[in-house]
Amino acid sequence: MPGLPKALAPSLAPMGRRTLFQQMARAAAATAVVGAAGPAQPAAATEVDPGSRLRRWVMVVDLRRCDGCAGLGVPPQCSQYCNWGRFVPEGQQWLEVYQRGLAPDAPSDAVGYLPAPCMQCQNAPCVNVCPVGATFHAPEGTVLIDQSRCIGCRLCMAACPYDRRFFNWGEPVQPAQVKETTYNVLTQTPAFRGTVMKCDFCTDRAAAGGLPYCVEACPREAYWFGDLETDVATNGKDVVKLSKLLEENEAFRYKEELGTRPRVYYINGHGEEAPRATAHESAFLKDRLEWPWREINEASA
Amino acid sequence: MNATERDLESTVLEPLVGLGRRFLFLAGGLAVVVLIGVVAYATQLAEGLRVTGMAATLNKQMYGIYIINFVFFIGISHAGTLISAILRVAKAEWRLPITRMAEFITVVALSVGGLMPIIDLGRPDRILNLLQYGRWNSPILWDFFSITTYLFGSLIYLFIPLIPDLALCRDRLAGRVSAPKRWFYEVSSVRWRGTPRQWRSLGTALTVMMVVIIPVAVSVHTVVSWIFAMTLRVGWNTAVFGAYFVAGALFSGTATLILVMAVLRRVFRLHGVIKDRQFTNLGFMLAGFSGIMLYFNLNELVTSGYKLAEGEGFFLDSILVGPFAPWFWAYILGLASPAIIMLIPKTRSFWGVIVASLIVDIAMWIERYIIVVATLRAPQMPYTNLAEYFPSTAELAISLGSVALFVLLIAVFSKLVPVVSVWELRHERAPEPREPEAVPAGPAAVRA
Ligand code: SF4
Ligand code: SF4
């Protein structure tokens, strides 16, 4: 499995669940240390390290390669690694893989898959409606949420046309080690009750030279992460010219007609380039996604 | 002062003396319901919004009964402006006995309604962020400022015409009410002596307020609708919403006013002051709004239903024939009912109008229910596991508590100040000034 985050890679090897959770607890503790003292922590929520060159992050999802991980008989790995890596509170799916009919209204039951992270809209309805500026455009263009300012009015959730926002209705369930960290707006840790969360494009990882968890996790290399400024994109293995990738493959954006101008592009397809197992429709295992935070807390208690 | 005037005075002032068992019983009962709501809110504060039915919908129904109640109460608040400002401008004389109640309903409905979005907040502890970090781009901020402006405006508009009557209470009830109440009349009547200068200032203030309050009132319900209409959602993304909400507000505002009027007339035996004629007049107004509302609904449904853009079909299906059909058709029937009731001569009566008003208030609550719940149920992404929202016990308790608070505040008010405007009525009853030259010396100067 190339390109998996180190702390999480062993989890795919045969290993007891308990061991896995202990490992993850350690990873969480490591994050806690970085979160508290690391350089990635900005002084104020809306400030981003001014020393770095300003990127314009985009994501490209090649739907030809995405089969919802159905062929592998595992839950969609992008969602799963997002959950694990970002300590997504129980029940939320910042990156959700939707199953959709391929030929609507036709006598066909063929399906394709649509992984949907936050589209990081350039004309973002969520940013527009936020009464306190808790949802804002970072200088790199991504849309972030300052959970220490959010008042929990949820108008941004109503405004998001992609259902990409999640609310901490009660006390969010996360590993205890994460809960103890000082708040970091880039990683949205720890999660606060009564505030909104969503995919943040893992820009803290990108700034450190890494890739978002979903890009690293995808076993089909369906994800590209790129920078419009330097016009490059990578899926963790190959590096390509971003504009060419978009042009040659006639990339589109979801619900372009709404005028939200997303930073997430799609290359149309239905998993035809994914090495195929048989009868994959029945093996789409989104229901088996895990948020192991309660178990981790129990294991480390 | 002639006999009828003294009669009017005692009818209006008598209820202010003492409390009475009936009042204490009513107020006590209401206070208990309010208290239950407060306890429910305390649990919500402790547990977070997960005690609501919204939490069970996987973030698909981010709004529920609190926002429905919010729109409902703000809608009711339009009663006051309609009666006291619009009809004052139009010089409709029959409004005189009901202006004060109308204005008070406005103040109470705004206060209770304004609580609703705060109750709905995930972080009520951070509400001051609205002032510290407020962004003018957000409809929430428009609402915040427009509702507070309307509330303060209405308070002023309630208070100014109260002054001469408070002075009347001060003078007439001095020996008959408790010390705190006496003190209240003393202070609140702001040294009113009824001098010509005071009457002139009162007149000017009223004229200014009645003109100012109308655009403020219209703005309030418009920006409430914009909370919805500023999104790209099916069922919300429509230009008709502003006008539709304003009309709906006047509709339910009038209905509520009729109901409160009927109750107060009965309790305080004001039959001599508030006649059946006033009820049928308001009934005709309701019937007119029926038509306007049906027209707006037609506009909305036909323009979206004809084109059936993505998602509209699902939404229209769900309200016309789907799970929300009983609600929707009950609402449409409720809309039409005042028109039907007022058309038939037999039902064109006091009781007919009361029934129509009850139906209208319920129908308008249902309308907001559909606007919030049915719309949010329409999927925006390709999923089929629809989220169904049911209000939880906590939400219901808080909602009932808010209704009880609304009634309780009106009841308390009716024990504190004259519920009808004595000086305005007096003038209507004795229109001929004794010396035409000295017109500015009395209430006549104000109304001229
Ligand atoms: S997808 Fe939704 S949450 Fe993300 S930027 Fe666009 S509107 Fe905001
Ligand atoms: S819920 Fe928070 S982030 Fe969303 S609009 Fe309200 S204050 Fe802004």
Side-chain angles (χ1 to χ4, degrees):
Chain A
M1 286 268 146
L4 288 179
K6 257 209 197 93
L8 297 167
S11 64
L12 290 184
M15 176 204 293
R17 279 172 70 82
R18 212 183 140 79
T19 336
L20 164 64
F21 295 145
Q22 277 165 353
Q23 286 212 5
M24 294 188 65
R26 273 201 291 279
T31 309
V33 173
V34 174
Q41 171 119 358
T46 45
E47 275 172 32
V48 166
D49 179 15
S52 66
R53 176 166 175 193
L54 221 51
R55 307 285 179 170
R56 287 190 286 149
W57 302 122
V58 292
M59 198 178 272
V60 186
V61 189
D62 189 343
L63 300 180
R64 293 171 304 196
R65 295 187 182 178
C66 171
D67 67 342
C69 288
L72 294 167
V74 289
Q77 293 298 289
C78 49
S79 293
Q80 186 59 84
Y81 277 72
C82 173
N83 284 355
W84 285 343
R86 300 309 268 179
F87 307 110
V88 174
E90 193 175 89
Q92 304 181 10
Q93 284 187 53
W94 295 357
L95 195 165
E96 182 165 356
V97 180
Y98 291 98
Q99 197 177 34
R100 51 178 193 147
L102 276 183
D105 296 338
S108 140
D109 51 8
V111 290
Y113 298 88
L114 182 83
C118 164
M119 304 288 165
Q120 315 291 346
C121 308
Q122 296 174 64
N123 174 22
C126 58
V127 173
N128 293 343
V129 298
C130 180
V132 294
T135 290
F136 61 97
H137 287 287
E140 295 165 323
T142 47
V143 172
L144 299 181
I145 306 172
D146 181 349
Q147 279 94 2
S148 65
R149 184 186 286 190
C150 169
I151 60 171
C153 68
R154 310 193 293 292
L155 188 55
C156 54
M157 297 173 69
C160 172
Y162 304 95
D163 281 0
R164 289 292 25 101
R165 298 189 145 246
F166 304 87
F167 192 65
N168 292 314
W169 297 95
E171 193 55 43
V173 181
Q174 276 185 319
Q177 293 91 335
V178 175
K179 288 249 160 190
E180 285 155 15
T181 55
T182 12
Y183 175 69
N184 182 344
V185 70
L186 294 178
T187 54
Q188 305 179 72
T189 47
F192 297 136
R193 183 172 96 181
T195 63
V196 167
M197 308 189 84
K198 71 168 183 68
C199 155
D200 52 27
F201 253 31
C202 294
T203 47
D204 57 316
R205 291 169 62 79
L211 287 171
Y213 280 107
C214 49
V215 180
E216 288 205 358
C218 177
R220 309 297 202 196
E221 281 142 11
Y223 283 84
W224 298 83
F225 195 67
D227 171 23
L228 286 173
E229 195 59 35
T230 45
D231 200 10
V232 289
T234 175
N235 61 358
K237 205 167 103 191
D238 304 320
V239 177
V240 297
K241 197 169 153 72
L242 174 59
S243 53
K244 212 169 136 208
L245 177 73
L246 297 175
E247 238 169 70
E248 282 179 356
N249 297 295
E250 293 168 29
F252 70 96
R253 296 184 292 193
Y254 195 39
K255 305 197 189 189
E256 180 78 77
E257 70 280 7
L258 296 180
T260 49
R261 297 167 54 221
R263 289 176 187 274
V264 174
Y265 291 85
Y266 292 97
I267 295 168
N268 210 359
H270 56 279
E272 64 266 38
E273 284 177 16
R276 186 139 318 203
T278 47
H280 71 264
E281 284 89 343
S282 56
F284 182 47
L285 298 173
K286 190 159 114 179
D287 300 346
R288 295 219 202 130
L289 286 170
E290 286 179 357
W291 292 263
W293 314 136
R294 283 178 202 277
E295 291 154 83
I296 284 188
N297 285 341
E298 278 160 27
S300 55
Chain B
M1 192 189 288
N2 58 34
T4 36
E5 278 195 20
R6 212 170 359 251
D7 215 33
L8 166 73
E9 208 178 284
S10 64
T11 317
V12 175
L13 295 189
E14 209 45 53
L16 304 180
V17 181
L19 288 175
R21 289 227 341 239
R22 254 193 0 194
F23 173 79
L24 286 177
F25 195 68
L26 174 79
L30 289 169
V32 168
V33 182
V34 173
L35 209 71
I36 294 173
V38 171
V39 170
Y41 184 57
T43 18
Q44 179 179 303
L45 276 183
E47 302 265 309
L49 285 169
R50 76 186 180 88
V51 300
T52 67
M54 298 178 276
T57 65
L58 298 172
N59 295 296
K60 284 167 188 157
Q61 293 272 353
M62 74 293 298
Y63 289 142
I65 200 167
Y66 298 146
I67 296 301
I68 298 170
N69 293 342
F70 164 62
V71 183
F72 179 72
F73 276 121
I74 303 293
I76 284 176
S77 76
H78 275 36
T81 314
L82 172 81
I83 300 301
S84 14
I86 301 180
L87 297 185
R88 208 188 281 255
V89 172
K91 295 207 162 55
E93 291 303 325
W94 53 264
R95 79 187 152 79
L96 280 177
I98 51 181
T99 44
R100 180 156 305 153
M101 280 176 230
E103 208 45 59
F104 190 66
I105 292 175
T106 299
V107 169
V108 174
L110 281 176
S111 317
V112 177
L115 283 180
M116 287 291 138
I118 298 174
I119 290 173
D120 188 66
L121 280 189
R123 298 301 296 238
D125 53 316
R126 295 183 183 165
I127 183 135
L128 289 181
N129 282 7
L130 278 179
L131 299 177
Q132 196 178 349
Y133 304 111
R135 290 169 72 246
W136 288 109
N137 320 36
S138 170
I140 300 233
L141 217 70
W142 308 340
D143 267 60
F144 183 78
F145 282 104
S146 130
I147 289 173
T148 41
T149 307
Y150 190 28
L151 179 59
F152 283 117
S154 300
L155 273 172
I156 296 172
Y157 200 28
L158 171 71
F159 178 64
I160 293 175
L162 249 176
I163 298 171
D165 282 353
L166 287 169
L168 187 73
C169 293
R170 176 195 61 197
D171 301 340
R172 295 280 191 282
L173 300 178
R176 303 178 56 205
V177 294
S178 58
K181 223 167 171 180
R182 211 161 47 228
W183 176 84
F184 168 75
Y185 293 137
E186 187 65 46
V187 172
S188 61
S189 54
V190 289
R191 272 177 285 153
W192 176 266
R193 296 275 171 259
T195 63
R197 233 191 88 220
Q198 287 181 327
W199 278 115
R200 261 197 311 278
S201 320
L202 180 76
T204 319
L206 273 183
T207 314
V208 170
M209 281 314 292
M210 80 183 173
V211 176
V212 166
I213 206 84
I214 295 175
V216 175
V218 171
S219 83
V220 165
H221 230 81
T222 308
V223 295
V224 166
S225 87
W226 283 351
I227 287 200
F228 303 100
M230 291 299 149
T231 69
L232 291 159
R233 275 183 184 267
V234 162
W236 288 1
N237 181 7
T238 157
V240 83
F241 253 37
Y244 181 46
F245 271 50
V246 172
L250 292 173
F251 197 38
S252 57
T254 312
T256 310
L257 177 72
I258 292 172
L259 294 176
V260 173
M261 227 166 90
V263 171
L264 290 184
R265 177 171 88 156
R266 174 127 188 206
V267 172
F268 294 113
R269 298 191 193 78
L270 296 172
H271 294 77
V273 184
I274 305 173
K275 304 275 168 52
D276 278 1
R277 180 168 63 97
Q278 267 113 35
F279 285 94
T280 35
N281 276 336
L282 286 171
F284 280 120
M285 213 148 90
L286 271 191
F289 282 127
S290 276
I292 296 174
M293 291 300 288
L294 286 169
Y295 174 71
F296 276 131
N297 275 292
L298 186 77
N299 262 286
E300 211 196 331
L301 293 179
V302 171
T303 49
S304 65
Y306 185 90
K307 295 166 289 191
L308 284 183
E310 170 70 20
E312 300 278 2
F314 178 95
F315 173 62
L316 290 178
D317 254 9
S318 74
I319 61 169
L320 296 180
V321 291
F324 291 91
W327 293 100
F328 179 77
W329 293 111
Y331 157 65
I332 292 290
L333 214 69
L335 274 194
S337 66
I340 299 168
I341 287 173
M342 294 310 285
L343 264 181
I344 304 171
K346 261 191 99 173
T347 51
R348 198 185 300 146
S349 63
F350 169 73
W351 281 109
V353 174
I354 296 297
V355 170
S357 309
L358 260 179
I359 296 178
V360 165
D361 264 342
I362 296 168
M364 289 308 290
W365 193 90
I366 294 176
E367 184 225 21
R368 278 80 181 228
Y369 172 78
I370 294 172
I371 286 179
V372 172
V373 179
T375 322
L376 290 177
R377 187 170 164 275
Q380 301 197 98
M381 297 296 277
Y383 60 81
T384 46
N385 54 332
L386 299 169
E388 307 294 348
Y389 165 77
F390 300 103
S392 68
T393 331
E395 281 173 293
L396 291 175
I398 292 175
S399 301
L400 282 181
S402 66
V403 175
L405 181 65
F406 177 76
V407 181
L408 180 64
L409 286 174
I410 290 181
V412 169
F413 175 79
S414 68
K415 277 289 174 191
L416 209 56
V417 300
V419 289
V420 297
S421 177
V422 178
W423 67 267
E424 282 189 285
L425 271 181
R426 226 184 229 164
H427 177 77
E428 161 139 290
R429 285 167 162 231
E432 67 286 54
R434 237 161 276 151
E435 306 124 294
E437 308 307 320
V439 168
V446 176
R447 278 193 57 263

